[in-house]
Amino acid sequence: MVDRSGARVRAAVVGTGLIGGSVLLRMYAAGVDVVGWDPDEVTRRETRRLGVPAPDRLVEAVADRDVVFLCGPLPTLPATLVEVAAMTGERCVLTDVGSTKEQVAAFAAAQGLTHRFVPGHPMAGTDRAGLTAALADLLTGAAWVLCPAPGPATTAFRWLAELLVEVFEARVVPMSATEHDSAAALASHVPHLLAGALAGAVQRAPLRDAILALAAGSFSDGTRVAGTPAERTANMLLGNRDRVLRELAEVTSFLDDLAAALRADDAPALAARYDEARAARSALRDRRFDAYDRQFPAGGDHTAEVSWLRELGVAGGHLTGLHVDADTVSYAARRPVAD
């Protein structure tokens, strides 16, 4: 993996748990010059055992890097961002993998780091934690949200998006931080609440062991994320609290409709609600996309470019590639076909 000057890309991953470790292993497998760093000494030793360099000091890990992925717990991200920014040059692109974006984007702006910090969120994971759970292919082909901004920040976005497409085969979804948090509330965060509620109710049930003996795919699939480390889930939910509560109210309203039809012994009403729900499930499984290209001037303030990128993400589309030359940036994109 080389940059446009022909030099090998130099990357660092700060925080090598499940997601950070998976970023690290994939980049290492792809031939990127990558190092990992974690505040836990045991984790650093495990990283070195896997053959990946892991300096003991953070400054040694991030010095002279082209890009640094910040992958620690959400509450630690602001302090880590400031610390790493001070240790790296102005040309070093910084990004994160956190599950909420608005707060960190606002913090980066207040610190004067928008020009080189690109908020990010790969939409993948498991219910396990730590470097030992990391997989080199965990993020391969995943939807990976990046939050573009106009001005100098667009250059950092382009460079990082190209890197993610090449190394991770990512489906880069460009969105504003606000749009990401609104969409992620129902796509990711509320499902953690529902999974926790179902698994928690079973844990309290008098027939718990009998229920678990009968549990099959519907229970296993519906409660998978309840196995996520509790502190990580709590940080995610609190980081997007207002939107999560708003979307939870919508889910509760739909659940109330189901319960009302059930109490009324109203089979047609019950079936109608499930037909409505099945439409979303079918759309997820059977989505079709049109491919198309779009070009913008490489220079300027990039306002029109960023507007188009954000509109693409909100419409359910993603980038599959891009190329930048002296005058033009060319995007390859896919957008859902209207039902």
Side-chain angles (χ1 to χ4, degrees):
M1 177 67 196
V2 297
D3 64 17
R4 294 186 188 91
S5 69
R8 191 180 180 199
V9 169
R10 293 167 55 81
V13 178
V14 175
T16 52
L18 171 67
I19 301 301
S22 296
V23 171
L24 181 70
L25 294 177
R26 176 66 177 183
M27 298 188 85
Y28 182 72
V32 176
D33 177 359
V34 64
V35 301
W37 185 86
D38 195 275
D40 179 61
E41 181 181 354
V42 174
T43 301
R44 295 197 300 272
R45 287 203 302 266
E46 176 64 17
T47 302
R48 290 191 286 264
R49 190 191 67 79
L50 294 172
V52 184
D56 283 323
R57 298 173 62 218
L58 175 59
V59 66
E60 295 172 352
V62 302
D64 300 321
R65 296 282 134 177
D66 301 305
V67 59
V68 179
F69 290 80
L70 307 176
C71 305
L74 277 175
T76 69
L77 183 55
T80 304
L81 174 58
V82 170
E83 188 176 13
V84 171
M87 296 175 175
T88 53
E90 282 293 301
R91 294 177 60 84
C92 176
V93 175
L94 308 174
T95 187
D96 75 313
V97 298
S99 54
T100 63
K101 298 272 71 81
E102 191 170 45
Q103 290 183 1
V104 70
F107 178 83
Q111 298 296 316
L113 293 171
T114 297
H115 65 292
R116 64 186 184 109
F117 175 67
V118 185
H121 182 200
M123 304 301 295
T126 74
D127 57 357
R128 301 176 63 202
L131 180 61
T132 56
L135 300 167
D137 61 353
L138 179 65
L139 306 175
T140 303
W144 197 311
V145 175
L146 291 181
C147 301
T154 311
T155 300
F157 167 85
R158 294 169 180 168
W159 186 88
L160 182 60
E162 190 172 10
L163 179 74
L164 296 182
V165 169
E166 181 170 347
V167 174
F168 295 90
E169 302 171 24
R171 294 176 287 121
V172 174
V173 181
M175 305 179 84
S176 72
T178 299
E179 290 163 345
H180 166 273
D181 286 3
S182 295
L186 203 50
S188 175
H189 304 165
V190 170
H192 279 76
L193 285 174
L194 300 180
L198 178 57
V202 169
Q203 179 64 18
R204 294 179 177 180
L207 294 177
R208 189 200 74 156
D209 291 337
I211 295 167
L212 294 177
L214 300 180
S218 58
F219 182 84
S220 179
D221 292 346
T223 61
R224 179 183 65 82
V225 294
T228 302
E231 184 177 2
R232 190 168 79 195
T233 300
N235 288 337
M236 175 187 71
L237 295 173
L238 291 170
N240 201 22
R241 180 181 60 185
D242 291 345
R243 291 183 181 85
V244 170
L245 289 173
R246 183 168 60 245
E247 298 302 342
L248 180 63
E250 295 298 319
V251 174
T252 301
S253 176
F254 198 95
L255 187 59
D256 287 343
D257 289 345
L258 290 171
L262 185 60
R263 291 190 190 97
D265 198 25
D266 188 343
L270 198 60
R273 297 289 75 75
Y274 272 100
D275 281 339
E276 189 177 353
R278 190 187 311 126
R281 177 71 178 180
S282 297
L284 173 65
R285 184 184 61 243
D286 301 326
R287 298 180 90 199
R288 295 178 297 114
F289 293 84
D290 280 337
Y292 67 104
D293 300 328
R294 186 69 185 268
Q295 293 185 331
F296 295 91
D301 65 4
H302 314 306
T303 299
E305 179 182 345
V306 170
S307 178
W308 174 80
L309 287 165
R310 291 174 174 175
E311 289 171 2
L312 175 70
V314 168
H318 60 272
L319 302 175
T320 59
L322 66 151
H323 175 73
V324 183
D325 59 30
D327 301 315
T328 306
V329 54
S330 302
Y331 288 102
R334 301 185 74 202
R335 191 181 183 113
V337 177
D339 294 335

